[in-house]
């Protein structure tokens, strides 16, 4: 019997487009001899749409967009649960929802209530990792070095902008980065070299969140590793994008198509081991499972700083995560997806041993 694979993509998020790119690449690579694929598209308004079982592999990205209609739109979430998720047989969900309402623990909570295995991190780890303020505090408590940073709330901005600016200038300095606390894909992030740019960046970041992070720039290199697994995670060889600009914005990551990867990154073996060990520590500190990409900075003196953990790294053709695993141990894209699905089933079975009565 084939396994039913529900693929959730789109979503009510500014990273909606990134999710579509990820879903397109994933669906192209699924072995339909092993899986019955049921794509479920969530519009930017939060409407769930499904055409049922995938009969034909999409030829282009636009084919994944399902227009809301009487035939394809669920009138309620209950309808989705009754008609889509109730099919008989082994089933698993692959949530490819980047950012808010998908990578923040919300969809994971729903799937936990439905008692359906799903790929990737659970409720707690998803919520922790997406919130840069909380994750930085936990990682610091674990003794993991990070770039100097300060966090601010929307209320602080409204009530004391002058004080906020002064704090950044005195304690962080320029250049610095301003980031929404709970977004990815470089959306809402700005590099600032002076007060004018800082004011504009703070205003822009608060369009996407009610908390922001301001970080000191680390001059050096950005190194990434892929992590996979549950209680005993595996870490890939490190990779690096060869930078031709100070900051990789959204267009550089997903539109231009000019990124050059160096995998493995050319760094000393001792640094590779330090990165891999720190990545495992960070993964466990945030209670991660399934997968994550962990990003680091190495400054000009060789000091290592953890930048962030991404619990749903991109799977587009420009993405590091699947390529790092292919270069590490020969795992193909399709094999990687199947391994992640196996981890989902393993975690779900482990959770079934928890006793809820006494």
């Amino acid at each position: 019997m084939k396994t039913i694979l529900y693929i959730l993509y789109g979503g009510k998020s500014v990273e909606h487009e990134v999710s579509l790119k990820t879903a397109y690449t994933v669906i192209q690579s699924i072995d339909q001899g092993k899986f019955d694929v049921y794509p479920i598209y969530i519009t930017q308004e939060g409407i769930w749409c499904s055409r049922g079982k995938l009969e034909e592999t999409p030829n282009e990205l636009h084919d994944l967009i399902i227009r809301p209609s009487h035939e394809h739109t669920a009138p309620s979430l209950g309808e989705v649960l009754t008609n889509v998720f109730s099919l008989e047989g082994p089933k698993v969900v692959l949530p490819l929802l980047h950012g808010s309402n998908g990578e923040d623990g919300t969809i994971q909570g729903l799937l936990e209530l439905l008692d359906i295995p799903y790929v990737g991190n659970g409720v707690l780890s998803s919520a922790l990792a997406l919130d840069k303020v909380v994750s930085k505090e936990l990682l610091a408590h674990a003794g993991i070095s990070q770039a100097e940073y300060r966090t601010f709330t929307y209320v602080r901005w409204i009530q004391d902008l002058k004080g906020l600016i002064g704090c950044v200038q005195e304690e962080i300095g320029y250049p610095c980065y301003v980031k929404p606390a709970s977004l990815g894909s470089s959306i809402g992030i700005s590099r600032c070299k002076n007060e004018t740019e800082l004011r504009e960046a703070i205003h822009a970041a608060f369009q996407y969140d009610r908390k922001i992070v301001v970080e000191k720039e680390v001059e050096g290199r950005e190194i990434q590793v892929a992590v996979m697994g549950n209680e005993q995670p595996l870490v890939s060889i490190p990779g690096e994008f060869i930078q031709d600009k100070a900051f990789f914005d959204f267009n550089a990551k997903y539109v231009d198509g000019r990124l050059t990867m160096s995998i493995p990154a050319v760094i000393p073996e001792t640094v590779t081991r330090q990165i891999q060990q720190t990545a495992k520590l960070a993964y466990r500190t945030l209670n991660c499972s399934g997968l994550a990409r962990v990003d680091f900075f190495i400054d000009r003196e060789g000091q290592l700083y953890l930048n962030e953990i991404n619990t749903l790294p991109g799977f587009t053709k420009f993405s590091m995560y699947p390529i790092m695993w292919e270069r590490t141990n020969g795992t193909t894209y399709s094999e990687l997806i199947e391994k992640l699905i196996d981890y989902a089933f393993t975690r779900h079975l482990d959770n079934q041993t928890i006793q809820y009565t006494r």
Side-chain angles (χ1 to χ4, degrees):
M1 179 182 294
K2 291 185 185 179
T3 297
I4 298 168
L5 176 62
Y6 302 108
I7 298 181
L8 305 183
Y9 61 96
K12 192 175 180 180
S13 167
V14 294
E15 297 186 68
H16 184 97
E17 181 182 347
V18 179
S19 175
L20 285 173
K21 292 175 182 289
T22 296
Y24 179 74
T25 312
V26 168
I27 289 174
Q28 294 284 330
S29 304
I30 293 293
D31 184 349
Q32 294 187 43
K34 298 178 181 178
F35 300 95
D36 284 333
V37 180
Y38 286 77
I40 299 174
Y41 173 61
I42 304 174
T43 72
Q44 287 189 298
E45 295 73 37
I47 300 171
W48 292 51
C49 307
S50 174
R51 297 192 184 106
K53 180 182 171 182
L54 183 71
E55 300 295 346
E56 242 178 69
T57 303
N59 293 317
E60 56 185 46
L61 188 68
H62 186 77
D63 293 340
L64 291 180
I65 299 175
I66 305 174
R67 302 296 179 188
S69 66
H70 177 72
E71 181 183 1
H72 298 138
T73 301
S76 69
L77 184 55
E79 190 79 9
V80 174
L81 306 184
T82 301
N83 294 336
V84 182
F85 283 101
S86 62
L87 298 173
E88 293 294 327
K91 63 192 72 172
V92 63
V93 177
L94 180 51
L96 301 177
L97 302 164
H98 293 282
S100 53
N101 300 301
E103 202 175 343
D104 56 1
T106 51
I107 197 70
Q108 289 79 10
L110 172 63
L111 297 173
E112 291 284 352
L113 290 174
L114 296 176
D115 198 25
I116 296 179
Y118 60 91
V119 170
N121 290 268
V123 177
L124 179 62
S125 51
S126 296
L128 290 177
L130 192 64
D131 189 318
K132 294 180 179 64
V133 174
V134 177
S135 62
K136 282 179 176 295
E137 292 174 354
L138 288 171
L139 294 171
H141 185 72
I144 296 173
S145 296
Q146 302 170 84
E148 189 75 17
Y149 69 93
R150 296 292 182 272
T151 65
F152 303 99
T153 63
Y154 181 78
V155 172
R156 170 79 183 274
W157 179 55
I158 294 298
Q159 295 180 345
D160 186 22
L161 175 59
K162 185 177 180 180
L164 191 161
I165 297 292
C167 176
V168 172
Q169 291 177 328
E170 293 172 15
E171 300 179 17
I172 299 296
Y174 301 110
C176 64
Y177 288 88
V178 178
K179 305 177 179 182
S182 300
L183 271 184
S185 301
S186 298
I187 296 172
I189 299 180
S190 304
R191 181 176 185 264
C192 311
K193 302 185 294 296
N194 53 56
E195 182 175 336
T196 299
E197 292 181 352
L198 177 62
R199 288 174 178 268
E200 293 173 353
I202 291 171
H203 176 76
F206 275 126
Q207 304 302 305
Y208 297 103
D209 209 329
R210 288 301 178 261
K211 290 189 298 185
I212 64 170
V213 176
V214 183
E215 294 177 357
K216 183 179 183 66
E217 180 175 78
V218 176
E219 293 187 10
R221 302 163 65 184
E222 183 172 358
I223 307 294
Q224 307 176 356
V225 288
V227 187
M228 159 170 69
N230 295 336
E231 285 81 8
Q232 296 179 310
L234 307 173
V235 184
S236 74
I237 59 174
E240 177 182 19
F241 282 119
I242 305 303
Q243 299 194 31
D244 59 357
K245 55 175 67 178
F247 170 48
F248 283 149
D249 58 12
F250 180 89
N251 285 338
K253 288 183 175 179
Y254 297 105
V255 179
D256 295 345
R258 294 180 297 167
L259 293 179
T260 301
M261 298 178 184
S262 175
I263 306 174
V266 182
I267 54 177
E269 181 60 32
T270 54
V271 178
T272 293
R273 288 196 297 269
Q274 184 184 3
I275 286 173
Q276 291 172 330
Q277 290 167 1
T278 306
K280 280 188 181 181
L281 174 59
Y283 193 82
R284 288 172 170 147
T285 297
L286 297 187
N287 198 44
C288 293
S289 59
L291 76 161
R293 194 193 69 235
V294 188
D295 303 342
F296 294 87
F297 294 124
I298 302 177
D299 71 13
R300 299 187 189 284
E301 285 71 48
Q303 177 65 41
L304 185 69
Y305 301 91
L306 192 146
N307 180 25
E308 67 177 12
I309 296 182
N310 188 323
T311 57
L312 183 58
F315 273 79
T316 73
K317 60 183 179 180
F318 303 121
S319 299
M320 275 275 205
Y321 189 90
I323 299 175
M324 284 191 286
W325 279 119
E326 192 275 331
R327 302 278 177 88
T328 298
N329 54 22
T331 300
T332 67
Y333 197 103
S334 297
E335 290 170 342
L336 178 58
I337 294 170
E338 291 181 23
K339 285 185 178 184
L340 296 176
I341 289 172
D342 287 342
Y343 284 126
F345 278 120
T346 299
R347 184 184 60 192
H348 186 260
L349 286 173
D350 287 344
N351 288 341
Q352 303 309 301
T353 66
I354 297 173
Q355 184 170 312
Y356 295 98
T357 59
R358 63 184 178 91

